[in-house]
């Protein structure tokens, strides 16, 4: 997918204008204020430590509760698409792992809206992930063990090892801690 955007960066805000998309603008605030409001319906995504915590559909001039989040993202749409902004929010909530529920969003989205809004949702997910706000949780990184274990165990005595050296080949079994058995033919 190719997406054309215009971005404006300030110390605390990033404004992303999407060109030729029903979603017109994403406003990303690092320290969101409870006073941000728009003249038309908007969608608020609240992130804490770059994990999505809340999604709210805001009516005109309504402000979002930003107490539990450290980054706020407001999404606005073309005036002729404003009725669908709740559906976009629900589709984004479904994409999140685990899915988020919100009372301000519609409970289900009909199939015709899913197909119509799929490119817009895909564009939002692409922009958010490129700016470091993915909707999926990253898998925890497993810690490596401190040191490799070089110790004989009973389970090792069941394993046959193949030995190939110079012109000889054979099978060896590590029977005890300090004893190895070389089978015939080695």
């Amino acid at each position: 997918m190719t997406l054309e955007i215009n971005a404006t960066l300030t110390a605390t805000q990033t404004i992303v204008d999407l060109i030729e998309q029903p979603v017109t603008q994403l406003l990303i605030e690092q320290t969101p204020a409870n006073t941000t409001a728009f003249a038309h319906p908007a969608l608020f995504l609240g992130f804490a430590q770059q994990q999505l915590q809340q999604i709210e559909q805001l009516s005109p001039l309504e402000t979002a509760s930003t107490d539990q989040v450290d980054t706020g993202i407001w999404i606005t749409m073309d005036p002729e698409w404003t009725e669908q902004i709740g559906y976009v929010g629900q589709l984004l909530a479904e994409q999140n792992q685990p899915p988020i529920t919100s009372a301000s969003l519609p409970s289900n989205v009909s199939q015709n809206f899913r197909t119509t809004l799929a490119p817009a949702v895909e564009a939002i997910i692409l922009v958010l992930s490129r700016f470091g706000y993915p909707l999926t949780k990253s898998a925890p990184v497993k810690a490596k063990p401190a040191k490799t274990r070089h110790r004989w165990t009973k389970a090792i005595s069941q394993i046959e090892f193949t030995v190939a050296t110079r012109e000889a080949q054979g099978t060896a079994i590590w029977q005890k801690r300090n004893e190895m058995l070389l089978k015939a033919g080695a």
Side-chain angles (χ1 to χ4, degrees):
M1 171 183 211
T2 304
L3 188 63
E4 191 174 336
I5 65 169
N6 287 331
T8 306
L9 305 170
T10 64
T12 59
Q13 282 187 346
T14 303
I15 300 171
V16 179
D17 294 314
L18 300 162
I19 299 169
E20 296 180 15
Q21 290 288 327
V23 175
T24 56
Q25 189 178 75
L26 278 78
L27 170 66
I28 303 170
E29 282 193 357
Q30 299 304 324
T31 51
N34 285 332
T35 58
T36 304
F38 295 94
H40 40 6
L43 199 61
F44 174 73
L45 282 67
F47 285 81
Q49 298 175 353
Q50 296 188 322
Q51 296 295 322
L52 185 62
Q53 301 297 318
Q54 72 185 59
I55 297 179
E56 291 181 37
Q57 180 180 356
L58 305 174
S59 53
L61 303 176
E62 183 182 3
T63 60
S65 171
T66 59
D67 299 334
Q68 304 294 323
V69 297
D70 57 19
T71 302
I73 299 176
W74 284 265
I75 299 174
T76 58
M77 296 184 80
D78 237 353
E80 58 211 40
W81 285 78
T82 54
E83 280 99 35
Q84 286 83 9
I85 198 154
Y87 296 127
V88 170
Q90 181 60 34
L91 292 173
L92 288 172
E94 291 172 4
Q95 291 290 323
N96 190 57
Q97 293 299 324
I100 290 180
T101 57
S102 175
S104 66
L105 297 176
S107 58
N108 59 5
V109 180
S110 63
Q111 190 59 40
N112 62 338
F113 280 128
R114 284 184 187 277
T115 55
T116 304
L117 296 173
V121 171
E122 189 177 334
I124 292 169
I125 291 171
L126 177 64
V127 170
L128 290 176
S129 63
R130 292 292 169 94
F131 278 92
Y133 300 100
L135 293 184
T136 57
K137 291 191 177 188
S138 58
V141 179
K142 290 186 178 179
K144 293 183 180 180
K147 186 177 174 185
T148 306
R149 224 173 102 188
H150 298 288
R151 187 174 178 173
W152 184 85
T153 61
K154 185 74 173 164
I156 293 176
S157 67
Q158 308 297 319
I159 302 171
E160 293 186 352
F161 297 96
T162 305
V163 180
T165 179
R166 296 187 195 115
E167 295 166 10
Q169 216 175 0
T171 305
I173 298 176
W174 194 2
Q175 285 184 328
K176 295 181 182 175
R177 183 181 64 81
N178 59 353
E179 183 180 309
M180 290 197 84
L181 169 70
L182 295 175
K183 288 193 169 182

